[in-house]
Amino acid sequence: GATIIPLSAGATIDMFESGATGFLMIGEKDDERSDDFYAKYSTLVGQLDKTNEFFVYTHNAKGEDAQAENYARAITLDTENAPALLYIRNGKIYDRLDSLYDDSVLNTFIMKYKAVPSSEE
């Protein structure tokens, strides 16, 4: 299946600055809701074809570079709380999913934007 690529605060910022496209889950370090969201995200991504479009950034307020952590959080979550799954298109937040009351919601969100494997284009 596909793999979720963990990003540092700096790499998260780069995703926006470089105009990347992909799914980015934002979680809080040592947070039960974030861990639960990640588990569901991970399970679903594992069932999909290999692609490099799934990322996770775990915000850590006590991280090594507080300035980068705060900036990464500001551009991804703004006033919202983690966890959230963002769909980033060309370096901008195109859509977001904040609540996982039902796994099918996550599935629908990902399938709506999932890139078609290049072999099928």
Side-chain angles (χ1 to χ4, degrees):
T3 309
I4 298 172
I5 301 163
L7 300 181
S8 64
T12 299
I13 294 164
D14 284 348
M15 218 182 146
F16 285 85
E17 292 181 346
S18 67
T21 293
F23 295 92
L24 175 63
M25 189 207 136
I26 316 292
E28 297 286 356
K29 189 168 167 52
D30 303 325
D31 173 71
E32 196 176 327
R33 279 186 60 231
S34 293
D35 292 345
D36 188 44
F37 196 116
Y38 180 78
K40 290 176 176 166
Y41 177 47
S42 182
T43 300
L44 189 61
V45 169
Q47 296 165 358
L48 300 171
D49 297 334
K50 286 189 171 64
T51 89
N52 293 329
E53 60 182 335
F54 297 103
F55 303 92
V56 63
Y57 162 57
T58 304
H59 177 258
N60 180 6
K62 302 180 189 81
E64 287 175 31
D65 186 346
Q67 198 176 351
E69 294 280 353
N70 291 339
Y71 184 60
R73 186 188 166 88
I75 58 176
T76 52
L77 290 174
D78 195 14
T79 57
E80 307 288 330
N81 291 322
L85 179 61
L86 310 179
Y87 178 63
I88 296 166
R89 184 179 282 172
N90 303 326
K92 296 193 170 35
I93 298 174
Y94 187 80
D95 200 356
R96 66 183 304 135
L97 182 64
D98 289 299
S99 171
L100 266 198
Y101 46 88
D102 180 349
D103 292 4
S104 66
V105 176
L106 180 64
N107 186 36
T108 303
F109 182 85
I110 288 180
M111 296 321 273
K112 188 162 54 168
Y113 299 115
K114 193 176 131 21
V116 177
S118 48
S119 59
E120 293 175 25
E121 278 174 3

